[in-house]
């Protein structure tokens, strides 16, 4: 055997091998089964004692001696020499082998007495396919029913292990006896509970990769059950044949998650016979009694002919009678009885009469004197007394606190102002629409300043005076003594002006389908905001050169979207926004914020920023995931923050890469009386989840006098080509009726997916069965086929008289449309300048501003900041745009504090190194 092996692997000098005890080799370590992951080779190891040599044989052939790595060492416990040999097996070797068996290797060890063979170790190439052999399917099961979700993982080597996720959290049968995950990769829930509703995912994994199945939505529903019957009501008639009622409600339990409504009647009626009342009647009078010493006699009668029964009326009249039995001739002390007068009684009556008259005279005299004294004291003042608080109240700040967070649109919202100690709202006043409040914004006479009221002073906005220049005076110049950073702004929905004059550019002409805001800004910068749209523009400090001002504007296109693609697969994720004027020349970029409706996920979305060209076509500026030196894009969960150098029209466009791409929809239900007092209309809106898109719903419902009946909710809508269905459920059939086959309405996938910020709605018309019905309760279910579902619960009071329209926006939702100067920024100007001076100056490593970007979580696309004149200033502008709603400087302060600690440590380390070097010298 040795000679044969020597011929295959080269000459072996056995005489040179050390002597070992006379026993066969014994393996301390045998090769183990292994898996090659990707292109990484595996190592097979053999260890034996005593052994002169150890060599590997793979697939029946000896491995070349040069491929062995061997070593020999002394075992400290036994004192024997141990030999260890190792070889590498590559992926190429395994793939090139074509045999009836799997690729295998074993090792052979020699001693003086012979050879020993180890076990065979197989080598496999590990993999895990992408597609599941069977994905779990969504189910709707009744409560306490059994749920079985099947899952067959993808083919793989080694075989994949399966785990289950519910709403992205691991499901374990060890902590819940009701769940079994051991039966052939399936998930079994023995008795379904309401808490078992959710999105389930099968997770397969081995040493190579992890794979996720399609999500299966499980809905555990509850069928309605009747409550106990109430007691029978009294008979509805006071006399004769009538009706008694009793009722029950479908609340034991109430139907949930689409469960069936109770079958049967909710009201039962039976006939009843009410006993008619019998009024009482008098019997005949009794005989007169004998004449008494007082000359009187009496008689009586009873009310029992018949006696009153069954709520009958008692007899009317007296039951006793008394009369003089002597014809008025009975005497007392020699006088007729009717002429006798009791003297003591006459005297007491006279005393009482005179006492009362005397008391009345005294009271009247006291009152007269009091009135005269009061009028004389008041006449000394000569003026009316006025409450001084009426003079000072306009300058006192006020506070109010909210008792509950609720929608300002909601019909029955419990948000009530309370004049107690609480959070102080000192934000600027929201300017209203210039068309609806024409008198409020009419210009004052030339060269006059409009001063705000004392109430505006109390809110801290008195310094926002409006100046109107004389005719012919250019808007970019200001009278002496008036600060250039003022703002004179309006929000226009249908502007009738021909254009806006700008210092260095052509006029930007508004159209009737635009929502716009304007403001005049100088060297100190400012901010433009279109209220309740999620759109704003930040002009940084120093962007406009000194002694220069620009009248800037921002416009949202409200007409039909001009954005179209040839493929038709891209959609608008937010409104089209234009800022200008066209000839605007700034030294640093502006920060624009646009709200969007995408669930940001780079694996499922390709989101791009596009700009409109002069020929009204759209060109790509950048992808939000790319890095660029001429534009910066920061995507948050609901807003996109842009740093832009050039004015123009911009839009955020999304292209779905997979069917798992999701855009958010906002759902809202409104109600109003129908064409007749017996009809009531429910309107369900499905709109892209951006503040601007919801404005279209608000405008429509304001004109209709609609009322918001439930807090708006968000629905994730997938790009899986499935439609959106709207159901009306649980309408009380004995109170309301709805036309057959109108309880379900449907929007096609393309209608919803390509709505481009335009609202979709459907209507349900209900009719009252009785004019006395004043309450309406039902559920609106909005769900995507093979997707998510949302429930809108409606409970409202319905009245025949016309209701007052509920205001859709309150002061808390408004914001000033334009601010200029330091008040437009969260970071005070002095602190901003100190930060820029500190971090723009390069240190030894030249990375100060990069460290600032890193701590503020803005360290992507650093090449854009590098080309700026002041990288720190641009970073702070982007931070301002990102935190404009919160106004919280804590995160910035924490970042600066952390940077300070890092610099302190590095400085201390440098000083320590210098001290060490000095000691060495």
């Amino acid at each position: 055997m040795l000679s044969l092996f020597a011929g295959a692997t080269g000459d072996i000098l056995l005489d040179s091998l050390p002597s070992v005890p006379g026993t066969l080799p014994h393996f301390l370590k045998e090769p183990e089964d292994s898996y090659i992951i990707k292109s990484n080779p595996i190592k097979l190891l053999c260890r034996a004692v005593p052994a002169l040599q150890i060599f590997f044989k793979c697939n029946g052939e000896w491995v070349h001696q040069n491929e062995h790595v061997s070593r020999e060492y002394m075992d400290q416990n036994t004192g024997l020499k141990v030999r260890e040999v190792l070889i590498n097996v590559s992926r190429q070797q395994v793939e090139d082998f074509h045999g009836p068996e799997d690729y295998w290797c074993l090792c052979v060890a020699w001693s003086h007495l012979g050879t020993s063979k180890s076990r065979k170790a197989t080598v496999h190439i590990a993999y895990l396919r992408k597609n599941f052999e069977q994905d779990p399917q969504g189910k709707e099961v009744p409560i306490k029913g059994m749920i079985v979700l099947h899952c067959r993982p993808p083919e793989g080597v080694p075989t994949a292990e399966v785990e289950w996720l519910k709403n992205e959290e691991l499901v374990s049968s060890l902590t819940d006896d009701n769940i079994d995950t051991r039966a052939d990769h399936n998930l079994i829930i023995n008795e379904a509970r309401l808490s078992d509703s959710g999105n389930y995912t099968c997770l397969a994994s081995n040493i190579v990769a992890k794979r996720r199945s399609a999500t299966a939505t499980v809905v555990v529903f509850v069928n309605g059950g009747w409550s106990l019957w109430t007691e029978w009501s009294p008979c509805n008639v006071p006399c004769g044949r009538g009706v008694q009622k009793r009722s029950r409600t479908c609340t034991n339990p109430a139907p949930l998650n689409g469960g069936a409504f109770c079958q049967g009647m909710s009201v039962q009626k039976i006939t009843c016979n009410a006993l008619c009342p019998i009024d009482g009647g008098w019997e005949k009078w009794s005989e007169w009694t004998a004449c008494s010493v007082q000359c009187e006699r009496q008689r009586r009668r009873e009310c029992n002919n018949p006696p009153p029964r069954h709520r009958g009326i008692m007899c009317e009249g007296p039951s006793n009678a008394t009369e003089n039995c002597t014809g008025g001739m009975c005497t007392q002390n020699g006088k007729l009885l009717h002429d006798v007068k009791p003297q003591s009684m006459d005297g007491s009556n006279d005393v009482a009469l005179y006492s009362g008259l005397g008391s009345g005279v005294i009271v009247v005299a006291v009152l007269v004197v009091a009135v005269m004294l009061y009028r004389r004291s008041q006449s000394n003042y000569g003026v009316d007394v006025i409450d001084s608080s009426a003079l000072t109240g306009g300058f006192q700040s006020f506070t109010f606190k909210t008792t509950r967070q609720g929608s300002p649109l909601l019909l029955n919202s419990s948000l009530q102002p309370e004049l107690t100690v609480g959070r102080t709202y000192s934000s600027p006043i929201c300017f209203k629409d210039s068309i609806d409040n024409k008198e409020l914004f009419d210009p004052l006479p030339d060269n006059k300043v409009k001063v705000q009221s004392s109430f505006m002073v109390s809110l801290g906005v008195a310094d926002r005076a409006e100046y109107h220049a004389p005719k012919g005076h250019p808007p970019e110049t200001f009278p002496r003594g008036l600060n250039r950073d003022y703002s004179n702004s309006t929000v226009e929905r249908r502007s009738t002006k021909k254009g806006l004059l700008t210092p260095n550019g052509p006029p930007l002409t508004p159209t009737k389908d635009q929502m716009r805001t304007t403001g005049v800004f100088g060297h100190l910068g400012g901010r433009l905001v279109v209220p309740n749209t999620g759109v704003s523009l930040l002009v940084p400090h120093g962007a406009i050169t000194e002694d220069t001002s620009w009248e800037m504007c921002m416009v949202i296109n409200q007409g039909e979207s001009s954005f179209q693609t040839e493929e038709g697969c891209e959609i608008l994720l937010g409104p089209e926004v234009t800022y200008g004027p066209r000839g605007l020349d700034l030294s640093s970029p502006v920060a624009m914020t646009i709200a969007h409706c995408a669930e940001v996920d780079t694996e499922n979305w390709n989101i791009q920023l596009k700009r409109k060209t002069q020929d009204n076509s759209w060109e790509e500026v950048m992808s939000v995931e790319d890095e660029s030196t001429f534009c910066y894009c920061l995507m948050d969960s609901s807003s996109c923050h842009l740093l832009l150098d050039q004015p123009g029209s911009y839009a955020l466009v999304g292209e779905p890469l997979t069917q798992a791409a999701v855009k958010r929809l906002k759902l809202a239900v409104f109600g109003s009386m129908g064409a007749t007092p017996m009809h009531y209309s429910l309107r369900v809106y499905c709109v892209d989840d951006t503040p601007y898109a919801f404005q279209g719903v608000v405008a429509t419902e304001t004109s209709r006098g609609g009322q918001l009946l439930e807090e708006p909710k968000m629905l994730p809508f997938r790009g899986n080509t499935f439609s959106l269905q709207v159901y009306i459920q649980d309408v009380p059939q004995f109170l309301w009726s709805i036309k057959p086959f109108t309880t379900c309405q449907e929007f096609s996938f393309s209608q919803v997916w390509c709505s481009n910020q335009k609202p979709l709605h459907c209507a349900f018309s209900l009719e009252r069965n009785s004019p006395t019905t004043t309450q309406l309760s039902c559920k609106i279910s909005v769900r995507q086929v093979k997707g998510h579902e949302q429930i809108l619960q409606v409970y409202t009071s319905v009245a025949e008289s016309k209701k007052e329209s509920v205001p859709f926006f309150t002061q808390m939702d408004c914001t000033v449309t334009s601010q200029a100067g330091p008040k437009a920024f969260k970071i005070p100007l002095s602190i901003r300048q100190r930060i820029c001076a500190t971090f723009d100056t390069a240190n030894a490593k030249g990375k100060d501003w990069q460290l600032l970007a890193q701590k503020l979580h803005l360290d992507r696309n650093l090449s854009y900041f590098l080309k700026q004149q002041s990288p720190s200033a641009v970073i702070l502008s982007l931070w301002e745009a990102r935190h404009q709603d919160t106004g919280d400087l804590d995160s910035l302060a924490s970042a600066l504090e952390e940077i300070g600690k890092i610099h302190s440590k590095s400085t201390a380390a440098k000083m320590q190194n210098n001290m060490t070097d000095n000691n060495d010298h």
Side-chain angles (χ1 to χ4, degrees), residues 594-906:
I594 303 176
H596 66 80
C597 61
E599 291 284 352
V600 181
D601 186 348
T602 56
E603 294 184 359
N604 300 320
W605 279 106
N606 176 26
I607 301 178
Q608 299 175 346
L609 177 67
K610 294 201 173 187
R611 178 174 53 205
K612 186 183 290 187
T613 61
Q614 293 183 353
D615 58 354
N616 285 334
S617 61
W618 290 87
E619 64 178 2
E620 180 183 349
V621 178
M622 66 176 295
S623 175
V624 298
E625 291 301 316
D626 294 341
E627 294 195 358
S628 171
T629 58
F630 53 86
C631 186
Y632 191 99
C633 184
L634 175 64
M635 290 291 292
D636 283 340
S637 60
S638 59
S639 296
C640 176
H641 309 285
L642 306 171
L643 294 177
L644 303 172
D645 293 324
Q646 300 180 11
S649 298
Y650 293 88
L652 202 63
V653 177
E655 176 187 5
L657 302 178
T658 68
Q659 291 190 355
V662 172
K663 81 168 186 175
R664 302 186 308 274
L665 298 179
K666 179 171 285 188
L667 309 176
V669 57
F670 290 81
S672 64
M673 299 300 295
T676 67
M678 297 295 288
H679 289 79
Y680 192 79
S681 177
L682 292 178
R683 294 176 295 279
V684 182
Y685 288 85
C686 306
V687 63
D688 293 349
D689 187 17
T690 62
Y692 163 75
F694 194 63
Q695 284 282 67
V697 178
V698 171
T700 301
E701 286 299 322
T702 301
S703 62
R704 290 185 175 182
Q707 294 172 324
L708 186 66
L709 303 181
E710 166 68 321
E711 189 86 17
K713 294 185 178 180
M714 190 277 290
L715 176 72
F717 187 80
R718 289 188 174 183
N720 57 8
T721 71
F722 289 104
S723 60
L724 187 71
Q725 296 177 341
V726 183
Y727 297 86
I728 183 170
Q729 300 173 342
D730 298 349
V731 178
Q733 299 178 0
F734 55 92
L735 297 177
W736 294 86
S737 61
I738 186 171
K739 292 182 180 180
F741 311 110
T742 62
T743 57
C744 176
Q745 303 188 38
E746 188 169 9
F747 297 111
S748 66
F749 172 79
S750 59
Q751 284 181 293
V752 182
W753 190 254
C754 303
S755 60
N756 286 342
Q757 305 289 298
K758 299 300 180 185
L760 301 173
H761 89 280
C762 61
F764 298 97
S765 180
L766 294 90
E767 183 177 2
R768 287 185 281 183
N769 295 335
S770 170
T772 60
T773 299
T774 59
Q775 301 292 330
L776 171 62
S777 63
C778 63
K779 287 194 305 186
I780 304 293
S781 170
V782 184
R783 63 179 300 180
Q784 184 183 18
V785 178
K786 296 189 178 180
H788 293 82
E789 179 185 23
Q790 255 316 349
I791 300 294
L792 299 173
Q793 186 70 48
V794 175
Y795 185 81
T796 185
S797 177
V798 179
E800 295 183 9
S801 60
K802 185 177 179 180
K803 296 181 179 179
E804 295 183 359
S805 176
V806 176
F808 286 99
F809 286 99
T810 61
Q811 183 69 30
M812 61 181 294
D813 286 327
C814 292
T815 178
V816 60
T817 60
S818 175
Q819 281 185 309
K823 290 187 178 181
F825 302 95
K826 308 298 181 185
I827 306 174
L829 179 58
S830 59
I831 296 179
R832 178 188 178 94
Q833 291 173 339
R834 289 176 59 188
I835 293 175
C836 294
T838 301
F839 291 100
D840 284 343
T841 304
N843 63 1
K845 296 183 180 181
K847 295 183 179 180
D848 279 356
W849 63 266
Q850 297 185 32
L851 184 59
L852 176 65
Q854 177 186 352
K855 297 304 179 183
L856 295 180
H857 308 290
L858 302 173
D859 52 345
R860 193 182 65 82
N861 195 10
L862 294 178
S863 58
Y864 178 84
F865 300 122
L866 182 61
K867 76 157 192 171
Q868 304 297 325
Q869 182 178 0
S870 174
S872 301
V874 178
I875 292 171
L876 293 178
S877 297
L878 186 59
W879 185 91
E880 284 266 8
R882 193 177 195 181
H883 296 83
Q884 60 181 317
D885 293 330
T886 59
D888 184 9
L889 295 178
D890 290 344
S891 60
L892 178 61
S894 300
L896 296 176
E897 182 180 0
E898 189 174 350
I899 293 174
K901 292 179 181 178
I902 294 175
H903 276 243
S904 298
K905 291 181 180 178
S906 61

